[in-house]
Amino acid sequence: VRSSAASDVYKRQIINRVFKKAIAFLSVFAMTQGIAAGAEPALAAESERYIPPHAQLIINYNDFGNIVGYHELMDSDNEVVAYCLDFENGYEIYDDYTVIEFSTENESPYIDSGDAYYGGPLSYYEKVGTEYVGIISNEELNQNDFSEMSDTFAEKSIQVEQNYDLEVTESDLMSRALVPDVNVKLPGRMRTYNWNTDNTCGSLAATIMMFYYYDYISTNYLKNIYVSNPYDLYEFFKPYIETTKDGKYAGADNNDMLAGLKDAYPQIRASSTGVRKTVCLDENPSWGFAYNLIANEKVPLLLNIHKHPIYSWHWVVIQGVYRVNSENDSPVNFYIVNDGWGSNDIRINHCYTEGHVYFR
C-alpha cells in the first residue's frame, strides 16, 4: 500500500502536468532529416509529444540527434512517474519538474522494452509475469520490493518538487547569471566492469575508482597482485564493504562503505608515498565540493545514489560534473558517472543522490 505522501505527489503531478500543457505546449513533428546541434530534434512518429522546457533545455545543449522513441515510465501501481525519450545518440529521462538522468554516449535502456518501469536513477525495469526484471542489472524484484523502491523514489520526488516550487527572486536570477555552465570530466577513460551479480555494487565501484587512481594518478595506489587481476581486488573488497543477510551479500550504506574502505585501503596500496591516505564521507553530498575534486584536484569520488530494497544502496563512481543554466529557473547540476554496469558518461541529477566517499 502506497503511503499518503507518495500518493499525494502523484495527484499533484497529474494536476501540474495538465496545467503546464495548457500554458506551454511544445510540439515536435515527425521528420526524417537530421538536425543541427542546438536545434529541436525530430520525433520519428506520426504523433505530437509534449516536451517540457526543462527537458528541452538539456536537448538544446547536447547533440542527441533525432528522437526515435518515447516511453511513459511507471511505478508499482502502473502510475506514470517519468518519461523517457530515445534518441539516435542517447536518451533523456525527466518528470514534470526536472531532468533526472541522461546520456549522449549510451543507448536508451528502454529502446527495446514494452511496458517500462522506473525506480529512480539507473533503475530500469520491465515486467515479466509477476516479477519486475532489471533491464540492465537482470535482477528480479517481486511486487513488494518494487513497491518499496517506488515509494522511495516518490519520496525523493516530493523533495525535488518542493525545491523547484520555491519562489525565484530577482536576486537569485542575478546570482545565477554569474554561474557559468559546466561540463568537466576527469582525464582519460575510466575502466568499465560489469561483474556485480550478487548485490556488491559498492565493492565494484571501489574497484573501478582504485584503478582510476592507479591508471592516471599514481601506481602506488595498488599492489601488483591486483594490477594484473582486477577481479581479485573486487573479491577482496566484498567482506570489508558489503553487509550480509541470510548468508548473502546485502549491499552497503554510507557508513558501511566508509568503514570498509578505511580497513581495506591500507592493505591494497603498493606504497604510502605520494598517495591520499584518509577516507572521508560526505552524507549531504555537495555538487560544488565534487566539482572542486574533479576540476581542480582531478580525482574521482564514490557516489551513493538511492536506496534499494535488496542491496541497500547503489554505488557508482563520479567521473565528471555538469551544470546547465536556464534564463528563468534554477541551474541544474548533474554528476557524470560510471554506472557499475559497464557504461561511462551517464549524467544523474544531483538531487537524487545520498552521499560521497572519497580520499583526502
Short mmCIF file of all heavy atoms in Angstrom, two decimals, residues 119-163:
data_model
loop_
_atom_site.label_atom_id
_atom_site.label_comp_id
_atom_site.label_asym_id
_atom_site.label_seq_id
_atom_site.Cartn_x
_atom_site.Cartn_y
_atom_site.Cartn_z
N GLY A 119 12.45 3.02 -11.23
CA GLY A 119 12.57 3.16 -9.78
C GLY A 119 13.51 4.26 -9.36
O GLY A 119 13.95 4.30 -8.22
N GLY A 120 13.84 5.16 -10.28
CA GLY A 120 14.81 6.22 -9.99
C GLY A 120 16.06 6.03 -10.82
O GLY A 120 16.14 5.11 -11.65
N PRO A 121 17.07 6.89 -10.66
CA PRO A 121 18.26 6.85 -11.50
C PRO A 121 18.88 5.46 -11.59
O PRO A 121 19.10 4.78 -10.58
CB PRO A 121 19.22 7.82 -10.79
CG PRO A 121 18.31 8.79 -10.12
CD PRO A 121 17.13 7.99 -9.68
N LEU A 122 19.13 5.02 -12.82
CA LEU A 122 19.76 3.73 -13.14
C LEU A 122 18.91 2.52 -12.80
O LEU A 122 19.39 1.39 -12.88
CB LEU A 122 21.14 3.60 -12.46
CG LEU A 122 22.15 4.71 -12.73
CD1 LEU A 122 23.47 4.40 -12.03
CD2 LEU A 122 22.36 4.93 -14.21
N SER A 123 17.65 2.73 -12.44
CA SER A 123 16.78 1.61 -12.04
C SER A 123 15.71 1.41 -13.10
O SER A 123 14.60 1.94 -13.01
CB SER A 123 16.14 1.90 -10.67
OG SER A 123 17.11 2.02 -9.67
N TYR A 124 16.05 0.61 -14.11
CA TYR A 124 15.18 0.40 -15.28
C TYR A 124 14.63 -1.02 -15.25
O TYR A 124 15.41 -1.99 -15.18
CB TYR A 124 15.97 0.60 -16.57
CG TYR A 124 17.04 1.66 -16.53
CD1 TYR A 124 18.38 1.31 -16.65
CD2 TYR A 124 16.72 3.01 -16.37
CE1 TYR A 124 19.38 2.27 -16.62
CE2 TYR A 124 17.70 3.97 -16.34
CZ TYR A 124 19.04 3.60 -16.46
OH TYR A 124 20.03 4.57 -16.43
N TYR A 125 13.31 -1.15 -15.37
CA TYR A 125 12.69 -2.47 -15.26
C TYR A 125 11.63 -2.67 -16.33
O TYR A 125 11.07 -1.72 -16.88
CB TYR A 125 12.03 -2.63 -13.88
CG TYR A 125 13.03 -2.62 -12.74
CD1 TYR A 125 13.45 -1.41 -12.19
CD2 TYR A 125 13.57 -3.80 -12.25
CE1 TYR A 125 14.39 -1.39 -11.16
CE2 TYR A 125 14.49 -3.79 -11.22
CZ TYR A 125 14.90 -2.58 -10.68
OH TYR A 125 15.83 -2.56 -9.68
N GLU A 126 11.35 -3.93 -16.61
CA GLU A 126 10.16 -4.32 -17.36
C GLU A 126 9.53 -5.48 -16.61
O GLU A 126 10.19 -6.19 -15.84
CB GLU A 126 10.50 -4.70 -18.80
CG GLU A 126 11.56 -5.76 -18.96
CD GLU A 126 11.97 -5.93 -20.41
OE1 GLU A 126 11.31 -5.34 -21.28
OE2 GLU A 126 12.95 -6.65 -20.67
N LYS A 127 8.23 -5.67 -16.80
CA LYS A 127 7.52 -6.69 -16.04
C LYS A 127 7.44 -7.97 -16.84
O LYS A 127 7.03 -7.99 -18.00
CB LYS A 127 6.12 -6.19 -15.66
CG LYS A 127 5.49 -6.99 -14.53
CD LYS A 127 4.25 -6.28 -13.99
CE LYS A 127 3.71 -7.01 -12.76
NZ LYS A 127 2.50 -6.35 -12.22
N VAL A 128 7.85 -9.06 -16.20
CA VAL A 128 7.78 -10.39 -16.80
C VAL A 128 6.99 -11.27 -15.84
O VAL A 128 7.47 -11.63 -14.76
CB VAL A 128 9.19 -10.98 -17.04
CG1 VAL A 128 9.07 -12.38 -17.65
CG2 VAL A 128 10.01 -10.06 -17.93
N GLY A 129 5.76 -11.59 -16.22
CA GLY A 129 4.88 -12.31 -15.29
C GLY A 129 4.56 -11.43 -14.11
O GLY A 129 4.05 -10.32 -14.27
N THR A 130 4.88 -11.90 -12.91
CA THR A 130 4.64 -11.11 -11.71
C THR A 130 5.91 -10.42 -11.20
O THR A 130 5.86 -9.73 -10.19
CB THR A 130 4.07 -12.01 -10.59
OG1 THR A 130 5.02 -13.05 -10.31
CG2 THR A 130 2.74 -12.62 -11.01
N GLU A 131 7.03 -10.61 -11.88
CA GLU A 131 8.30 -10.07 -11.43
C GLU A 131 8.68 -8.82 -12.24
O GLU A 131 8.33 -8.68 -13.41
CB GLU A 131 9.41 -11.11 -11.58
CG GLU A 131 9.19 -12.39 -10.79
CD GLU A 131 9.26 -12.16 -9.29
OE1 GLU A 131 10.28 -11.63 -8.82
OE2 GLU A 131 8.28 -12.51 -8.60
N TYR A 132 9.41 -7.93 -11.59
CA TYR A 132 10.00 -6.77 -12.26
C TYR A 132 11.47 -7.10 -12.51
O TYR A 132 12.24 -7.28 -11.55
CB TYR A 132 9.86 -5.52 -11.40
CG TYR A 132 8.42 -5.14 -11.15
CD1 TYR A 132 7.70 -5.69 -10.08
CD2 TYR A 132 7.77 -4.23 -11.98
CE1 TYR A 132 6.39 -5.34 -9.85
CE2 TYR A 132 6.44 -3.89 -11.76
CZ TYR A 132 5.76 -4.44 -10.69
OH TYR A 132 4.44 -4.10 -10.47
N VAL A 133 11.85 -7.18 -13.77
CA VAL A 133 13.19 -7.63 -14.13
C VAL A 133 14.03 -6.42 -14.57
O VAL A 133 13.62 -5.64 -15.43
CB VAL A 133 13.14 -8.66 -15.27
CG1 VAL A 133 14.55 -9.11 -15.66
CG2 VAL A 133 12.29 -9.86 -14.85
N GLY A 134 15.21 -6.28 -13.96
CA GLY A 134 16.11 -5.19 -14.31
C GLY A 134 16.59 -5.31 -15.74
O GLY A 134 17.13 -6.35 -16.13
N ILE A 135 16.41 -4.27 -16.54
CA ILE A 135 16.77 -4.32 -17.95
C ILE A 135 18.28 -4.42 -18.12
O ILE A 135 18.77 -5.11 -19.01
CB ILE A 135 16.21 -3.09 -18.69
CG1 ILE A 135 14.68 -3.15 -18.70
CG2 ILE A 135 16.75 -3.00 -20.11
CD1 ILE A 135 14.03 -1.89 -19.24
N ILE A 136 19.03 -3.76 -17.25
CA ILE A 136 20.49 -3.83 -17.32
C ILE A 136 21.05 -4.74 -16.24
O ILE A 136 21.94 -5.54 -16.48
CB ILE A 136 21.08 -2.41 -17.19
CG1 ILE A 136 20.71 -1.59 -18.43
CG2 ILE A 136 22.61 -2.47 -17.05
CD1 ILE A 136 21.20 -0.16 -18.39
N SER A 137 20.51 -4.65 -15.02
CA SER A 137 21.04 -5.43 -13.91
C SER A 137 20.61 -6.89 -13.93
O SER A 137 21.25 -7.74 -13.29
CB SER A 137 20.58 -4.82 -12.58
OG SER A 137 19.17 -4.94 -12.43
N ASN A 138 19.50 -7.21 -14.62
CA ASN A 138 18.93 -8.57 -14.67
C ASN A 138 18.40 -9.06 -13.33
O ASN A 138 18.02 -10.23 -13.22
CB ASN A 138 19.95 -9.57 -15.22
CG ASN A 138 20.28 -9.31 -16.67
OD1 ASN A 138 19.39 -9.05 -17.48
ND2 ASN A 138 21.56 -9.34 -17.00
N GLU A 139 18.37 -8.22 -12.31
CA GLU A 139 17.82 -8.64 -11.04
C GLU A 139 16.30 -8.77 -11.15
O GLU A 139 15.66 -8.17 -12.01
CB GLU A 139 18.16 -7.62 -9.95
CG GLU A 139 17.47 -6.29 -10.16
CD GLU A 139 17.79 -5.28 -9.09
OE1 GLU A 139 18.37 -5.65 -8.07
OE2 GLU A 139 17.44 -4.10 -9.28
N GLU A 140 15.72 -9.57 -10.27
CA GLU A 140 14.27 -9.76 -10.25
C GLU A 140 13.72 -9.27 -8.92
O GLU A 140 14.18 -9.68 -7.85
CB GLU A 140 13.93 -11.24 -10.45
CG GLU A 140 14.33 -11.77 -11.82
CD GLU A 140 13.90 -13.21 -12.03
OE1 GLU A 140 13.27 -13.79 -11.11
OE2 GLU A 140 14.19 -13.76 -13.11
N LEU A 141 12.73 -8.38 -8.99
CA LEU A 141 12.07 -7.86 -7.81
C LEU A 141 10.63 -8.31 -7.80
O LEU A 141 9.96 -8.29 -8.84
CB LEU A 141 12.11 -6.33 -7.78
CG LEU A 141 13.47 -5.64 -7.80
CD1 LEU A 141 13.29 -4.12 -7.74
CD2 LEU A 141 14.34 -6.11 -6.64
N ASN A 142 10.13 -8.71 -6.61
CA ASN A 142 8.72 -9.04 -6.51
C ASN A 142 7.91 -7.77 -6.31
O ASN A 142 8.46 -6.66 -6.24
CB ASN A 142 8.47 -10.06 -5.39
CG ASN A 142 8.90 -9.55 -4.02
OD1 ASN A 142 8.82 -8.36 -3.73
ND2 ASN A 142 9.35 -10.46 -3.16
N GLN A 143 6.60 -7.90 -6.21
CA GLN A 143 5.74 -6.73 -6.11
C GLN A 143 6.06 -5.89 -4.88
O GLN A 143 6.11 -4.65 -4.95
CB GLN A 143 4.26 -7.17 -6.06
CG GLN A 143 3.26 -6.01 -6.03
CD GLN A 143 3.24 -5.20 -7.31
OE1 GLN A 143 3.29 -5.78 -8.39
NE2 GLN A 143 3.15 -3.88 -7.21
N ASN A 144 6.30 -6.53 -3.74
CA ASN A 144 6.60 -5.78 -2.52
C ASN A 144 7.90 -5.00 -2.64
O ASN A 144 8.00 -3.84 -2.22
CB ASN A 144 6.67 -6.73 -1.32
CG ASN A 144 5.31 -7.25 -0.92
OD1 ASN A 144 4.28 -6.63 -1.22
ND2 ASN A 144 5.28 -8.39 -0.25
N ASP A 145 8.94 -5.67 -3.21
CA ASP A 145 10.23 -5.00 -3.35
C ASP A 145 10.13 -3.80 -4.29
O ASP A 145 10.67 -2.72 -4.00
CB ASP A 145 11.28 -5.98 -3.90
CG ASP A 145 11.71 -6.99 -2.85
OD1 ASP A 145 11.55 -6.70 -1.65
OD2 ASP A 145 12.21 -8.07 -3.24
N PHE A 146 9.43 -3.97 -5.40
CA PHE A 146 9.34 -2.85 -6.34
C PHE A 146 8.45 -1.74 -5.80
O PHE A 146 8.68 -0.57 -6.07
CB PHE A 146 8.85 -3.31 -7.71
CG PHE A 146 9.00 -2.25 -8.77
CD1 PHE A 146 10.25 -1.84 -9.18
CD2 PHE A 146 7.88 -1.65 -9.33
CE1 PHE A 146 10.41 -0.84 -10.13
CE2 PHE A 146 8.02 -0.66 -10.29
CZ PHE A 146 9.29 -0.24 -10.70
N SER A 147 7.44 -2.11 -5.00
CA SER A 147 6.62 -1.09 -4.35
C SER A 147 7.46 -0.26 -3.39
O SER A 147 7.30 0.97 -3.30
CB SER A 147 5.46 -1.74 -3.58
OG SER A 147 4.53 -2.32 -4.48
N GLU A 148 8.36 -0.92 -2.67
CA GLU A 148 9.24 -0.20 -1.75
C GLU A 148 10.15 0.75 -2.53
O GLU A 148 10.36 1.91 -2.13
CB GLU A 148 10.09 -1.19 -0.95
CG GLU A 148 11.01 -0.52 0.06
CD GLU A 148 11.84 -1.51 0.84
OE1 GLU A 148 11.44 -2.69 0.92
OE2 GLU A 148 12.89 -1.11 1.36
N MET A 149 10.68 0.29 -3.65
CA MET A 149 11.51 1.15 -4.49
C MET A 149 10.70 2.33 -5.02
O MET A 149 11.18 3.47 -5.03
CB MET A 149 12.11 0.36 -5.66
CG MET A 149 12.93 1.20 -6.61
SD MET A 149 13.67 0.22 -7.95
CE MET A 149 15.04 -0.52 -7.08
N SER A 150 9.47 2.07 -5.45
CA SER A 150 8.61 3.14 -5.96
C SER A 150 8.33 4.18 -4.89
O SER A 150 8.33 5.39 -5.17
CB SER A 150 7.28 2.55 -6.48
OG SER A 150 7.48 1.76 -7.62
N ASP A 151 8.08 3.74 -3.66
CA ASP A 151 7.82 4.68 -2.57
C ASP A 151 9.04 5.54 -2.28
O ASP A 151 8.92 6.74 -2.03
CB ASP A 151 7.40 3.92 -1.31
CG ASP A 151 5.97 3.39 -1.39
OD1 ASP A 151 5.22 3.87 -2.27
OD2 ASP A 151 5.62 2.51 -0.59
N THR A 152 10.22 4.92 -2.29
CA THR A 152 11.45 5.67 -2.05
C THR A 152 11.65 6.74 -3.11
O THR A 152 11.99 7.89 -2.82
CB THR A 152 12.66 4.73 -2.01
OG1 THR A 152 12.48 3.77 -0.97
CG2 THR A 152 13.95 5.49 -1.77
N PHE A 153 11.43 6.37 -4.36
CA PHE A 153 11.57 7.32 -5.46
C PHE A 153 10.52 8.43 -5.35
O PHE A 153 10.82 9.61 -5.59
CB PHE A 153 11.45 6.59 -6.80
CG PHE A 153 11.56 7.48 -8.01
CD1 PHE A 153 12.61 8.37 -8.13
CD2 PHE A 153 10.62 7.41 -9.02
CE1 PHE A 153 12.72 9.19 -9.24
CE2 PHE A 153 10.71 8.23 -10.13
CZ PHE A 153 11.77 9.12 -10.25
N ALA A 154 9.29 8.09 -4.95
CA ALA A 154 8.24 9.09 -4.79
C ALA A 154 8.59 10.09 -3.70
O ALA A 154 8.36 11.31 -3.85
CB ALA A 154 6.90 8.41 -4.49
N GLU A 155 9.13 9.59 -2.59
CA GLU A 155 9.52 10.48 -1.50
C GLU A 155 10.62 11.45 -1.95
O GLU A 155 10.60 12.64 -1.61
CB GLU A 155 9.98 9.65 -0.30
CG GLU A 155 8.84 8.90 0.37
CD GLU A 155 9.34 7.81 1.31
OE1 GLU A 155 10.57 7.72 1.51
OE2 GLU A 155 8.49 7.05 1.83
N LYS A 156 11.58 10.93 -2.71
CA LYS A 156 12.64 11.80 -3.22
C LYS A 156 12.06 12.81 -4.20
O LYS A 156 12.46 13.98 -4.22
CB LYS A 156 13.72 10.96 -3.89
CG LYS A 156 14.87 11.77 -4.47
CD LYS A 156 15.62 12.56 -3.41
CE LYS A 156 16.47 11.67 -2.54
NZ LYS A 156 17.33 12.47 -1.62
N SER A 157 11.09 12.38 -5.02
CA SER A 157 10.47 13.29 -5.97
C SER A 157 9.74 14.43 -5.27
O SER A 157 9.72 15.57 -5.76
CB SER A 157 9.48 12.52 -6.86
OG SER A 157 10.14 11.58 -7.68
N ILE A 158 9.14 14.14 -4.11
CA ILE A 158 8.49 15.19 -3.33
C ILE A 158 9.51 16.25 -2.92
O ILE A 158 9.26 17.46 -3.03
CB ILE A 158 7.80 14.59 -2.08
CG1 ILE A 158 6.63 13.70 -2.49
CG2 ILE A 158 7.33 15.71 -1.15
CD1 ILE A 158 6.04 12.91 -1.33
N GLN A 159 10.67 15.81 -2.45
CA GLN A 159 11.72 16.75 -2.04
C GLN A 159 12.17 17.60 -3.22
O GLN A 159 12.35 18.82 -3.09
CB GLN A 159 12.91 15.99 -1.46
CG GLN A 159 12.59 15.21 -0.20
CD GLN A 159 13.76 14.34 0.24
OE1 GLN A 159 14.89 14.53 -0.19
NE2 GLN A 159 13.48 13.37 1.10
N VAL A 160 12.36 16.96 -4.37
CA VAL A 160 12.79 17.70 -5.56
C VAL A 160 11.72 18.70 -5.98
O VAL A 160 12.01 19.86 -6.30
CB VAL A 160 13.11 16.73 -6.71
CG1 VAL A 160 13.42 17.50 -8.00
CG2 VAL A 160 14.28 15.83 -6.34
N GLU A 161 10.45 18.25 -5.95
CA GLU A 161 9.34 19.13 -6.31
C GLU A 161 9.31 20.36 -5.41
O GLU A 161 9.12 21.50 -5.88
CB GLU A 161 8.02 18.37 -6.19
CG GLU A 161 6.78 19.23 -6.41
CD GLU A 161 5.50 18.50 -6.05
OE1 GLU A 161 5.52 17.26 -5.97
OE2 GLU A 161 4.49 19.18 -5.85
N GLN A 162 9.52 20.15 -4.11
CA GLN A 162 9.49 21.28 -3.18
C GLN A 162 10.62 22.26 -3.48
O GLN A 162 10.43 23.48 -3.39
CB GLN A 162 9.59 20.76 -1.74
CG GLN A 162 8.34 20.02 -1.29
CD GLN A 162 8.53 19.30 0.03
OE1 GLN A 162 9.66 19.06 0.49
NE2 GLN A 162 7.42 18.94 0.66
N ASN A 163 11.78 21.75 -3.87
CA ASN A 163 12.89 22.63 -4.22
C ASN A 163 12.55 23.49 -5.44
O ASN A 163 12.86 24.68 -5.48
CB ASN A 163 14.15 21.81 -4.53
CG ASN A 163 14.75 21.20 -3.29
OD1 ASN A 163 14.51 21.68 -2.18
ND2 ASN A 163 15.53 20.15 -3.45
#
